């Protein structure tokens, strides 16, 4: 990339970082410092504001960089991510949003603990929430590293590593100083920028092909090197039965995982009522649906305009397809238009990463402080406030995410997010649905459900081709692969539901029917909700 690319893009990066730090500083001077303010922004956001913030939280680097890259590399099969991420919101709208807002206070564990013994449930759910959040954070770190590597010509591993460290440091600052209120406004600004940038690129792609989508697809197939197979199922997931089962596993994880993501569930606590939570989801579905339709155009556009081989040469996982597409649409390398458009897209993608990592870090630090610390602290030990613990936790989680982000920097970001969704669907969704809808659910069932999904999901990932046994693995030189699928959802999600059922059936304690009835009335009517 030319010096013009670097200078302009870095200036736009710095402008966004300066603006977001200004928002964080302003908010930190105008907040009360209470737990409700830090975790939920005082519950003062409107449905539209929260809908934009949810969209900003959800439309991550995996969406903007990863999905478009997968479509550019694998055509039809890459579109599974777009479809899965969008369909998942029907589960959230119909089963989760209002009930979670009525039953909880700050975290997912609040919903489950409403009718169970708190300590074991909070420890289990808090642990799974932190695990999911860290996996999701790693994907954002990898996206940031890929973006800056492209900006600097792809040769500076040191710059890539320092970018991951810088993103981690910024997210700790956002969360520690501004809490939920600052994080929400950063996500709203980011959602507007991302939608504007995506619309502009989509229009330019369609203009390049004179509005003929069929011609776009034919050109993409021609330049992909796969011919018409590029537009048919099976290029990535159709080789053998293992690949087909991987396809089903990934689809299950994407559709069911969103309803178990801690940073998405925590957004429902930032509005005053359950009705506002439902309306927030409606707003977010409109924005997210439009965005994912456009990622399909961008993915096929990158294959048609840039070429699949060029995309793969720049980044083997396809994470840089959209910036390369912007460079070509603007006039090519060295042109003023290409330089400006590339810099704008790179800055928007970087803004996307910063906003999402802030939201995830806040949710995971809330789980550490509100669930784990509050459950484990001893009565006679020195008592620190939850907010203070949350700030320390943000730094610790940031350090872990930085380390793993440096390790996994060559994997596709959408693929990494798919793993986070699988863990969320395996550990968090079963316990959430059982708590809301099963009258006989017990504390032992809740704990078994969480660990019965979490442990197999993490273990199967460690024993999968993602970690060892293939050239694209985290450790390509090692081979301790025992599980053939790249995504564990097909096995771990049923195990989470089965463990919850077994724990309840084998539990010596009877279900607390009175607390279930109270929770049921509260979840459906909002009576007694915080």
């Amino acid at each position: 990339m030319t010096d013009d690319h670097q200078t302009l893009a870095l200036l736009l990066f710095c402008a966004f970082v300066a603006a977001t730090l200004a928002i964080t500083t302003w908010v930190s001077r105008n907040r009360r410092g209470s737990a409700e303010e830090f975790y939920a922004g005082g519950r003062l956001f409107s449905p539209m504001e929260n809908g934009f913030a949810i969209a900003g939280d959800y439309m991550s680097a995996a969406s903007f960089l990863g999905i478009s890259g997968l479509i550019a590399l694998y055509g039809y099969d890459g579109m599974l991510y777009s479809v899965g991420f969008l369909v998942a919101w029907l589960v959230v709208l119909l089963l989760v949003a209002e009930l979670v807002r009525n039953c909880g206070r700050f975290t997912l564990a609040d919903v489950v603990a409403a009718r169970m013994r708190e300590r074991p449930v909070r420890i289990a759910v808090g642990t799974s929430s932190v695990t999911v959040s860290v996996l999701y954070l790693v994907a954002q770190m990898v996206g940031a590293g890929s973006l800056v590597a492209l900006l600097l010509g792809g040769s500076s591993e040191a710059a890539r590593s320092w970018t991951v460290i810088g993103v981690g440091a910024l997210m700790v600052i956002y969360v520690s100083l501004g809490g939920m209120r600052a994080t929400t406004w950063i996500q709203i600004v980011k959602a507007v920028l991302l939608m504007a940038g995506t619309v502009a690129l989509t229009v330019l792609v369609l203009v390049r092909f004179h509005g003929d989508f069929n011609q776009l697809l034919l050109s993409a197939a021609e330049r992909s090197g796969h011919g018409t197979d590029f537009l048919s199922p099976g290029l990535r997931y159709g080789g053998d039965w293992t690949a087909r089962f991987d396809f089903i596993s990934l689809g299950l994880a994407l559709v069911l995982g969103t309803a178990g993501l801690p940073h998405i569930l925590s957004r429902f606590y930032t509005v005053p009522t359950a009705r506002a939570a439902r309306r927030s989801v409606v707003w977010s579905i409109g924005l997210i649906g439009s965005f994912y339709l456009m990622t399909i155009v961008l993915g096929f556009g990158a294959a048609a305009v840039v070429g699949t081989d060029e995309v793969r040469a720049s980044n083997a996982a396809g994470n840089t397809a959209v910036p390369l597409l912007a460079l070509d649409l603007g006039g090519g390398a060295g042109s003023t238009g290409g330089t400006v458009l590339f810099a704008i897209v790179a800055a928007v993608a970087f803004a996307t990463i910063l906003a999402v990592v802030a939201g995830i870090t806040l949710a995971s630090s809330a789980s550490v402080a509100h669930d784990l610390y509050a459950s484990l602290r001893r009565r006679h030990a020195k008592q620190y406030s939850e907010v203070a613990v949350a700030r320390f936790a943000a730094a610790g989680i940031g350090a872990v995410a930085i380390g793993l982000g440096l390790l996994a920097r060559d994997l596709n970001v959408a693929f990494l997010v798919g793993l986070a969704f699988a863990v969320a669907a395996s550990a968090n969704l079963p316990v959430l649905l059982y708590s809301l809808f099963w009258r006989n659910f017990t504390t032992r069932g809740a704990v078994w459900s969480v660990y019965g999904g979490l442990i197999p999901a993490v273990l199967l990932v460690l024993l999968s081709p993602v970690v060892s046994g293939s050239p694209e693995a985290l450790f390509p030189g090692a081979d301790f692969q025992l599980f053939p699928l790249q995504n564990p959802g097909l096995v771990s999600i049923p195990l989470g539901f089965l463990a919850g059922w077994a724990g309840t059936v084998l539990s010596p304690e009877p279900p607390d029917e009175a607390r279930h009835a109270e929770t049921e009335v509260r979840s459906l009517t909002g009576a007694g909700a915080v």
Side-chain angles (χ1 to χ4, degrees):
M1 296 300 161
T2 65
D3 291 340
D4 289 339
H5 287 107
Q6 296 180 27
T7 304
L8 186 55
L10 289 173
L11 285 174
L12 289 169
F13 287 167
C14 293
F16 181 80
V17 170
T20 51
L21 287 175
I23 291 172
T24 303
T25 305
W26 175 74
V27 169
S28 66
R29 291 178 178 176
N30 293 277
R31 60 183 175 86
R32 299 186 300 274
S34 65
E36 186 174 29
E37 177 71 31
F38 185 82
Y39 294 140
R43 310 190 202 281
L44 298 175
F45 290 100
S46 69
M48 185 180 76
E49 290 170 343
N50 197 44
F52 269 84
I54 290 172
D57 226 345
Y58 196 70
M59 298 185 302
S60 64
S63 304
F64 192 54
L65 301 177
I67 293 177
S68 300
L70 284 173
I71 294 173
L73 296 181
Y74 301 107
Y76 184 98
D77 280 8
M79 284 175 26
L80 172 66
Y81 284 88
S82 291
V83 175
F85 282 145
L86 178 57
V87 172
W89 279 96
L90 295 177
V91 179
V92 177
L93 178 63
L94 298 176
L95 297 179
V96 172
E98 289 185 79
L99 305 183
V100 166
R101 174 62 188 86
N102 283 335
C103 287
R105 189 177 175 212
F106 299 131
T107 64
L108 170 63
D110 290 335
V111 180
V112 183
R115 52 176 293 211
M116 310 290 176
R117 284 187 286 116
E118 287 205 24
R119 183 179 172 119
V121 166
R122 286 193 181 277
I123 292 173
V125 178
T127 301
S128 71
S129 296
V130 172
T131 304
V132 172
S133 298
V134 169
L135 281 172
Y136 212 116
L137 280 172
V138 170
Q140 312 309 314
M141 300 296 191
V142 171
S146 298
L147 197 62
V148 171
L150 174 64
L151 180 66
L152 300 179
S155 59
S156 179
E157 289 297 324
R160 197 170 174 180
S161 300
W162 280 109
T163 300
V164 172
I165 295 170
V167 170
L170 281 171
M171 76 185 188
V172 173
I173 293 171
Y174 292 147
V175 172
S176 300
L177 292 181
M180 179 60 84
R181 195 183 293 268
T183 300
T184 299
W185 281 111
I186 291 169
Q187 287 161 346
I188 291 171
V189 171
K190 167 253 175 155
V192 173
L193 289 174
L194 183 59
M195 287 298 292
T198 308
V199 168
L201 284 180
T202 301
V203 170
L204 288 173
V205 169
L206 294 176
V207 167
R208 172 71 67 92
F209 292 92
H210 309 291
D212 189 343
F213 194 72
N214 186 53
Q215 183 59 42
L216 166 63
L217 295 178
L218 293 176
S219 298
E222 182 181 347
R223 295 206 61 186
S224 68
H226 298 286
T228 55
D229 290 343
F230 191 69
L231 306 178
S232 304
L235 194 59
R236 179 178 173 89
Y237 295 109
D240 52 26
W241 280 106
T242 299
R244 295 175 188 179
F245 279 123
D246 227 342
F247 181 87
I248 298 170
S249 186
L250 176 62
L252 279 174
L254 296 182
V255 172
L256 299 178
T258 300
L261 292 176
H263 67 290
I264 296 298
L265 295 175
S266 66
R267 292 238 54 91
F268 299 134
Y269 301 127
T270 64
V271 290
T273 64
R275 182 171 182 268
R278 184 180 68 248
R279 291 174 61 199
S280 297
V281 175
V282 173
W283 271 99
S284 63
I285 287 176
L287 292 167
I288 292 167
S290 304
F291 174 77
Y292 282 123
L293 286 174
M294 290 186 287
T295 60
I296 295 173
V297 177
L298 298 185
F300 283 114
V305 174
V306 180
T308 298
D309 291 340
E310 287 78 4
V311 170
R312 187 176 281 110
S314 172
N315 181 275
N319 293 331
T320 55
V322 172
L324 289 175
L325 174 64
L327 182 64
D328 197 294
L329 291 173
S335 68
T336 302
T339 299
V340 171
L341 195 57
F342 172 88
I344 291 173
V345 168
V348 168
F350 202 73
T352 296
I353 292 164
L354 289 179
V356 173
V357 297
I360 302 169
T361 306
L362 179 59
S364 53
S365 64
S367 292
V368 171
H370 186 63
D371 299 327
L372 298 178
Y373 171 73
S375 299
L376 295 173
R377 66 184 176 187
R378 297 179 179 178
R379 292 182 180 178
H380 303 294
K382 185 176 180 181
Q383 303 294 302
Y384 296 95
S385 72
E386 277 190 19
V387 174
V389 173
R391 292 189 174 117
F392 285 118
I397 290 165
V400 172
I402 288 169
L404 292 175
L406 293 174
L407 186 65
R409 57 192 175 191
D410 292 325
L411 296 179
N412 182 277
V413 288
F415 171 73
L416 286 169
V417 166
L419 296 182
F421 273 60
V423 177
S426 304
N428 291 347
L429 184 65
V431 72
L432 177 60
L433 294 183
Y434 277 147
S435 298
L436 292 173
F437 299 110
W438 190 12
R439 180 179 300 275
N440 295 326
F441 199 43
T442 63
T443 300
R444 175 181 286 187
V447 174
W448 283 27
S449 181
V450 173
Y451 292 130
L454 177 64
I455 294 173
V458 174
L459 190 62
L460 291 176
V461 169
L462 293 176
L463 298 177
S464 74
V466 177
V467 176
S468 70
S470 69
E472 299 83 19
L474 286 180
F475 302 106
D479 187 2
F480 45 87
Q481 172 199 339
L482 297 175
F483 182 66
L485 305 184
Q486 292 188 333
N487 193 291
L490 187 62
V491 175
S492 59
I493 295 173
L495 283 178
F497 281 99
L498 182 62
W501 173 81
T504 299
V505 171
L506 299 175
S507 176
E509 61 176 324
D512 191 334
E513 293 189 10
R515 291 183 71 182
H516 168 73
E518 179 184 342
T519 303
E520 186 176 38
V521 170
R522 180 175 166 184
S523 66
L524 295 175
T525 67
V530 178

